[in-house]
Amino acid sequence: MSEELARIAAALERISPPSAAAPDFASADAFVWQVEPDRLQPVPEVSRVDLSLLIGVERSRNTLLENTRQFAKGLPANNALLWGARGMGKSSLVKAIHAQILTEGLPLKIVELQREDLPSVTRLLAQLRGAATRFVLFCDDLSFSHDDEHYKSLKAVLDGGIEGRPENVIFYATSNRRHLMPRDMIENERSSAINPGEAVEEKVSLSDRFGLWLGFHPCTQDDYLAMIRGYCAHFAIAFHEDEMRAEAIEWQATRGARSGRVAWQYVTDLAGRKGVRLS
């Protein structure tokens, strides 16, 4: 009998997945969380812009930079929700601030977590907890629909459950929605619920768990043009002011929006026509 049990045990060991290797946090300053199997994938070079090129978001920039600096120094800091207009640099700001903190000589890692991988967040936190470094856990474009249960997993990051959120982890998220869910969904649930006050309380209160709410709003035309001038100066793109102004205004008019993203798209087109590489 013991021989049969040994064969069964050996067979189970062969088909079981190998143990995940301990993350090598010294290999990079940025990681992407992957599942199936769970692993932290190092990112050798992060796609980001210089902090000085983000124009029109000075108040949010200063607040988030100071909060991140406090956290990197081991001081108390808040989770942050960056919400508002599309293309106004929410995710770019998070990555740029991480780079700024590194230039100040403060050790800080950033880990990107996809929204669809939120159910695995407790396993991620288990890998980060107790590590001899500090982490910004970053989720871009976070939002929930009426039948989405992923928001329950997010509470593990914001509240931490019985263990509490790891002391060395802070959570930053970006969203186009202040309450992480569509306004029409909030109104529909309130109108159809027996107790309207409780119908969406659990989901709406999720955003209340962020200590910082940083709003991003559509930029003015002056800021839009200043963004373009800043990019042109940074990448040494020669331009004629009147010609650039006319082209840039026409560019944003054809897209029905004025934002940092639209400014960058115009600069990309301009650089291509001028034969300038953006690298």
Side-chain angles (χ1 to χ4, degrees):
M1 176 67 82
S2 61
E3 186 177 341
E4 291 181 2
L5 290 175
R7 287 201 302 269
I8 293 172
L12 290 174
E13 186 174 344
R14 285 195 299 272
I15 65 174
S16 62
S19 301
D24 180 12
F25 293 125
S27 64
D29 291 316
F31 299 83
V32 174
W33 173 244
Q34 306 280 5
V35 297
E36 299 180 358
D38 291 351
R39 66 194 185 281
L40 282 161
Q41 183 70 38
V43 179
E45 185 175 350
V46 178
S47 174
R48 53 188 163 202
V49 300
D50 189 87
L51 189 60
S52 64
L53 296 176
L54 298 176
I55 295 172
V57 294
E58 288 77 11
R59 183 174 181 180
S60 294
R61 178 198 64 198
N62 295 341
T63 301
L64 192 65
L65 178 58
E66 183 57 31
N67 189 70
T68 311
R69 188 180 287 125
Q70 289 173 195
F71 174 71
K73 291 179 178 179
L75 299 171
N78 277 302
N79 298 314
L81 174 62
L82 289 69
W83 67 275
R86 300 187 308 274
M88 279 305 298
K90 298 184 291 294
S91 60
S92 295
L93 181 60
V94 173
K95 293 182 287 185
I97 282 179
H98 174 242
Q100 176 63 29
I101 294 298
L102 294 179
T103 63
E104 295 178 9
L106 297 171
L108 183 65
K109 310 291 184 182
I110 188 168
V111 177
E112 185 173 28
L113 169 69
Q114 302 298 324
R115 191 199 70 86
E116 56 268 24
D117 293 330
L118 278 172
S120 69
V121 73
T122 53
R123 304 198 300 273
L124 170 57
L125 293 180
Q127 294 202 28
L128 303 182
R129 188 185 299 272
T133 188
R134 303 179 76 75
F135 301 92
V136 171
L137 188 53
F138 172 50
C139 187
D140 192 20
D141 199 19
L142 182 64
S143 63
F144 303 102
S145 59
H146 71 281
D147 57 351
D148 194 338
E149 296 296 313
H150 286 3
Y151 74 93
K152 294 181 179 179
S153 302
L154 185 54
K155 291 183 179 180
V157 186
L158 301 177
D159 293 338
I162 193 171
E163 289 184 289
R165 175 167 54 87
E167 184 273 338
N168 63 330
V169 176
I170 199 169
F171 185 67
Y172 288 174
T174 70
S175 178
N176 294 333
R177 302 165 179 167
R178 183 174 183 177
H179 290 296
L180 305 176
M181 54 193 293
R183 181 177 296 274
D184 61 343
M185 190 182 82
I186 296 175
E187 298 304 326
N188 288 342
E189 290 198 23
R190 281 178 175 157
S191 64
S192 61
I194 296 175
N195 189 327
E198 294 179 357
V200 293
E201 181 64 25
E202 186 175 26
K203 291 180 181 176
V204 172
S205 66
L206 187 63
S207 60
D208 292 339
R209 289 175 164 85
F210 289 90
L212 289 181
W213 280 11
L214 303 176
F216 289 70
H217 309 287
C219 63
T220 65
Q221 182 167 290
D222 287 344
D223 282 342
Y224 169 69
L225 294 173
M227 292 173 189
I228 294 173
R229 294 189 192 98
Y231 282 128
C232 287
H234 183 77
F235 293 106
I237 304 172
F239 65 92
H240 186 277
E241 175 66 26
D242 291 341
E243 181 180 349
M244 180 277 289
R245 182 184 179 90
E247 288 183 352
I249 292 175
E250 180 181 3
W251 185 275
Q252 61 91 15
T254 60
R255 280 147 187 79
R258 189 167 52 217
S259 68
R261 180 178 298 144
V262 173
W264 172 250
Q265 291 168 347
Y266 169 74
V267 169
T268 300
D269 178 76
L270 180 62
R273 288 188 280 118
K274 298 286 187 179
V276 178
R277 296 184 181 276
L278 298 178
S279 59

